[in-house]
Amino acid sequence: MANSQPLPELVHAAQRSAKASLDRVSEILKCAEGQTLSDAQSKEIASETDSIKLVSVDIFTMFEARMQRHFKRGPLSRKVEAALLAAGHAGVADRLHQYYLAINVLKHGRGASHRELLNNKSAMLVVTQDNVGEAESEGVPTCLIDVTSPHFFDELAVTILDAYQFLESRQS
């Protein structure tokens, strides 16, 4: 992700990457036809899931780095959220906050962000809870945030682009 590319181009490239991984996961599951996955299939799904996690964290981090110029020091996502709320964009503010929490969970695992997502009964994200360690010990790919759920990455991309457009239009 070169620094010279505009953020929307980077977001679209990240979307293509995530879609390719999701398509591969779907293909593997379709080929398995409901049967138990082989070790190779499980490893490939885990690899593709990890790719989606990484591209999710990378694009959100890129968004934060590029948009920091709109604010003085401090937690960017919270400042953007407050500006969106003040301008009457509560929906975008809520989505940005949910994805901020999700990215924190992807980066750091269990903690305050994970607890907040578990307590927030939003249908926007699929958040898992306690059986992750047990599933991992059985070789089943897991994640505290289901990045392979329908629309996870597309909605992340839309949220980033909405917040980006809002910040850029404020500067004009």
Side-chain angles (χ1 to χ4, degrees):
M1 292 187 188
N3 195 24
S4 62
Q5 284 183 285
L7 186 65
E9 286 181 22
L10 296 172
V11 170
H12 294 301
Q15 266 184 300
R16 287 189 299 275
S17 176
K19 182 175 181 345
S21 291
L22 284 171
D23 289 348
R24 183 64 189 134
V25 167
S26 293
E27 184 180 311
I28 293 166
L29 294 173
K30 185 178 177 182
C31 288
E33 296 177 346
Q35 301 298 315
T36 303
L37 297 175
S38 69
D39 286 344
Q41 289 170 319
S42 291
K43 286 178 182 174
E44 191 171 356
I45 286 176
S47 176
E48 295 297 344
T49 300
D50 285 345
S51 293
I52 298 167
K53 288 183 214 177
L54 290 173
V55 77
S56 298
V57 170
D58 285 351
I59 198 60
F60 198 86
T61 302
M62 182 66 70
F63 162 74
E64 288 182 318
R66 294 277 183 98
M67 297 298 100
Q68 188 63 53
R69 66 185 167 83
H70 291 281
F71 300 96
K72 293 183 180 177
R73 295 185 306 219
L76 177 85
S77 291
R78 292 180 190 200
K79 290 185 177 203
V80 175
E81 182 183 350
L84 285 162
L85 286 170
H89 299 287
V92 178
D94 180 56
R95 289 191 338 255
L96 183 67
H97 182 68
Q98 297 299 312
Y99 278 107
Y100 165 77
L101 294 172
I103 297 303
N104 275 346
V105 172
L106 292 174
K107 290 193 313 191
H108 307 295
R110 296 183 200 282
S113 294
H114 185 245
R115 285 189 300 276
E116 186 174 338
L117 285 172
L118 285 172
N119 290 330
N120 177 0
K121 301 303 179 197
S122 169
M124 192 171 98
L125 299 170
V126 178
V127 183
T128 60
Q129 193 166 326
D130 294 325
N131 58 352
V132 172
E134 181 181 316
E136 286 175 342
S137 70
E138 296 172 6
V140 177
T142 61
C143 183
L144 295 171
I145 304 293
D146 184 0
V147 297
T148 63
S149 66
H151 312 294
F152 172 85
F153 198 90
D154 286 339
E155 286 298 320
L156 171 62
V158 167
T159 300
I160 289 171
L161 291 173
D162 287 348
Y164 165 81
Q165 289 170 350
F166 168 77
L167 291 173
E168 292 296 301
S169 68
R170 282 183 5 155
Q171 190 175 16
S172 301

